[in-house]
Amino acid sequence: MHFGKLRNAYRWIGFKSEVLGRRESIMNVRKAVCQEIIERMPQFGGTAKPLPENCQLRINDQLTVAVVGGRTSPAYARHNHNQWRFGYRSHRKPDILIVARIDCGSTRVRDYFLLPFIFLPGGSWLTVSGINYRRLDRFRMDSLAPLYDLCARKSLQAMP
């Protein structure tokens, strides 16, 4: 019997895990953010196409964007509301990493961080708090509007 992914096998036998549930909810948020970008980019004269890698897009055939979810864990939420973490791992390095920050116990995006991938440290997990949080705050956005502005394509009119 072939199950596809491990979580499908767990689901098939009725196994429930809080960790798997959180991963699945983050994946759903990531997919929703990608779908929103794909649908909205034409309104700004651009294009967004999904790449074979999970939750990566090619925008205007020039820019690669990856979407990840950042979440406060229950342990972090008890001590420091501004401490959260996200994971990123990619075979194809994106130009921009979009972190959709989700509050603990929620599936609603609180805000976004648009991070130039080149500035991120090596490794696959980053815990954000204290001084790291203040450094990243300039990349925090309430919506994806700055991404659309960055990627907008406007036709150039002939000069008189």
Side-chain angles (χ1 to χ4, degrees):
M1 187 174 266
H2 184 71
F3 298 105
K5 298 189 180 213
L6 183 59
R7 71 174 171 249
N8 293 340
Y10 284 143
R11 191 177 295 130
W12 191 78
I13 63 170
F15 178 76
K16 295 187 188 240
S17 164
E18 197 173 307
V19 172
L20 289 175
R22 280 196 303 263
R23 281 188 189 156
E24 191 168 342
S25 70
I26 287 175
M27 180 54 77
N28 291 339
V29 168
R30 292 173 64 197
K31 287 179 181 179
V33 170
C34 286
Q35 191 60 40
E36 176 187 336
I37 294 169
I38 290 168
E39 291 172 2
R40 297 237 11 237
M41 196 57 69
Q43 297 172 17
F44 299 90
T47 61
K49 299 173 188 165
L51 294 173
E53 290 81 9
N54 232 354
C55 296
Q56 284 199 16
L57 303 170
R58 187 76 176 160
I59 297 179
N60 299 329
D61 291 322
Q62 296 176 326
L63 189 66
T64 303
V65 172
V67 177
V68 299
R71 179 182 289 258
T72 54
S73 74
Y76 291 153
R78 273 179 263 155
H79 302 296
N80 184 352
H81 187 65
N82 283 331
Q83 187 173 24
W84 52 282
R85 66 185 294 185
F86 63 90
Y88 58 93
R89 180 179 27 200
S90 175
H91 298 294
R92 179 184 295 187
K93 302 297 183 205
D95 299 303
I96 296 176
L97 185 69
I98 298 174
V99 181
R101 189 163 56 152
I102 308 160
D103 286 324
C104 182
S106 174
T107 57
R108 191 179 68 74
V109 176
R110 179 208 293 187
D111 52 16
Y112 301 90
F113 286 77
L114 276 59
L115 304 172
F117 198 81
I118 196 167
F119 293 142
L120 294 173
S124 59
W125 283 97
L126 182 63
T127 299
V128 180
S129 66
I131 196 160
N132 287 341
Y133 184 81
R134 287 190 298 278
R135 287 182 184 154
L136 292 180
D137 197 47
R138 70 184 72 145
F139 299 102
R140 192 191 74 73
M141 313 295 162
D142 290 325
S143 72
L144 292 172
L147 175 72
Y148 300 130
D149 289 343
L150 173 72
C151 299
R153 296 292 181 253
K154 297 182 174 41
S155 60
L156 296 175
Q157 306 254 335
M159 296 181 73

